[in-house]
C-alpha cells in the first residue's frame, strides 16, 4: 500500500520537475543558439 502511494508521489514529482525545468531549458537553447551563432559570424570577421 505505502509502496503504491510512494510510486504515485514519485510520478507526480517527476511531472512537476519536468514542467518546471521546461522554460529554463527553452531559454538555455535560445541563449545557447544565439551565442554559438554569434561566434560563427564573428570568427570570419577576425580572420
Amino acid at each position: 500500500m505505502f509502496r503504491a502511494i510512494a510510486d504515485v508521489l514519485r510520478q507526480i514529482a517527476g511531472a512537476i520537475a519536468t514542467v518546471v525545468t521546461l522554460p529554463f531549458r527553452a531559454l538555455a537553447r535560445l541563449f545557447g543558439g544565439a551565442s554559438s551563432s554569434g561566434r560563427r559570424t564573428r570568427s570570419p570577421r577576425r580572420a
Side-chain angles (χ1 to χ4, degrees):
M1 180 69 181
F2 291 111
R3 200 172 275 182
I5 294 172
D7 287 339
V8 170
L9 289 176
R10 271 190 220 116
Q11 288 178 351
I12 292 172
I16 291 173
T18 302
V19 170
V20 168
T21 56
L22 274 176
F24 296 105
R25 288 182 186 175
L27 285 174
R29 279 188 191 172
L30 284 174
F31 288 114
S35 65
S36 65
S37 65
R39 288 177 195 153
R40 287 180 196 152
T41 56
R42 288 180 195 157
S43 56
R45 290 181 196 163
R46 290 180 187 169

